[in-house]
Amino acid sequence: MISPPVDADGALSTLLETAAKYRREGNLNLAIEMLEGACPRAGPDCPPRIGGELGASYYQAHRFEKAEASLKDAYQRTTDPSQRAIVANDLGNLAASRGHSEDAVLYYMEARAQGSVNRAVSVSAGLNLARLTPTDKRLDRLIVLSQEVAGVLDARERARYFLNLGSQARPLGTLAVKVAYENLDRARALATEQADRLLLAEALDALSQLYEDQGRAAEGLQLTEQAISSLQSEQAQDLLINLKWRRGRLLRRQGRDDEALRAYQSAVEHIENIRQDIPVEYVDGRSSFRETLE
């Protein structure tokens, strides 16, 4: 792939927007290839914005050592407080994924403190901190954060944060069901308004899981089918696997075993289709393909 030149602000922004779009859709190899191709032609000092996005892409691909190198370089060299907050938030995610909770909290708190220059990343960091909050205190924290999410200006970002919040609330017990549903439904409505098919599929996926948790198989299946229909063929194959797997579970719960078997078989076919895009192993040696398959 030939990456666009990055010697102008407009071209740099276009490059970053395209790479971020690939990353959100799960096309991690494309995002990484584009960003890696751009840095050498940008001179010896790769722009921190490219390094930050490349680090985020490495992180999502479970290439943690490369993610750490790119993110820390961007973190040290950026002079833009808003960009530094974004990278700090990503470094917090990396630290949390490695079990370094204390480091993660420090990075999240730094990002959280930048609410005056980047409200969205402050909210994101708040949601990330909520994941590290003790379970018995998490719901109260999420309820407070829902007001902050409502104040995020960008509709797609707001939808993603509602989705994040609702997904965090879902497993927190009976009292959290209402909070989970309200926030997931807000994400669904915003995704519909923005005609964002991938985001809509993610919101429907989370809602269908909520219904499955409640034993409401027919409604969960209806939402699952809507989510599958919303996805375009090139989008989020890992999400499609999850949806088809749930379709099989819900069909089986309804006694429709032949249809369930076909759904399971379709999910397995998709696993095989994306096997080459799943990292062979994590940093600690676990097989990520095996975990995906399980």
Side-chain angles (χ1 to χ4, degrees), residues 134-255:
T135 304
D136 60 341
K137 298 179 180 179
R138 193 174 304 156
L139 181 58
D140 289 340
R141 183 63 190 139
L142 291 173
I143 291 171
V144 171
L145 281 167
S146 67
Q147 302 302 314
E148 294 187 33
V149 174
V152 172
L153 296 179
D154 184 271
R156 283 187 172 85
E157 286 186 328
R158 190 162 71 252
R160 290 202 169 275
Y161 296 149
F162 278 135
L163 175 58
N164 180 313
L165 196 154
S167 297
Q168 286 199 55
R170 183 183 61 77
L172 295 180
T174 304
L175 294 177
V177 171
K178 183 174 183 290
V179 174
Y181 175 79
E182 288 177 349
N183 285 278
L184 293 175
D185 195 53
R186 288 169 182 160
R188 179 203 56 77
L190 284 166
T192 301
E193 289 174 9
Q194 297 298 310
D196 189 323
R197 295 169 67 93
L198 175 58
L199 185 54
L200 177 59
E202 291 178 295
L204 290 167
D205 173 51
L207 279 166
S208 64
Q209 184 61 61
L210 181 63
Y211 278 101
E212 183 182 6
D213 294 344
Q214 301 302 308
R216 298 166 66 174
E219 292 154 299
L221 181 59
Q222 182 180 12
L223 290 166
T224 297
E225 297 290 5
Q226 291 175 17
I228 292 171
S229 297
S230 177
L231 282 175
Q232 295 173 330
S233 60
E234 74 279 5
Q235 287 183 320
Q237 293 297 305
D238 54 341
L239 175 58
L240 192 56
I241 291 168
N242 190 56
L243 288 163
K244 292 195 172 186
W245 213 259
R246 185 183 303 108
R247 176 199 267 169
R249 294 196 304 271
L250 295 173
L251 286 167
R252 189 178 183 191
R253 189 170 293 179
Q254 294 179 336

Side-chain angles (χ1 to χ4, degrees), residues 28-42:
L28 301 177
N29 289 337
L30 279 175
I32 289 169
E33 183 181 353
M34 172 176 284
L35 293 163
E36 286 180 337
C39 268
R41 292 184 294 105

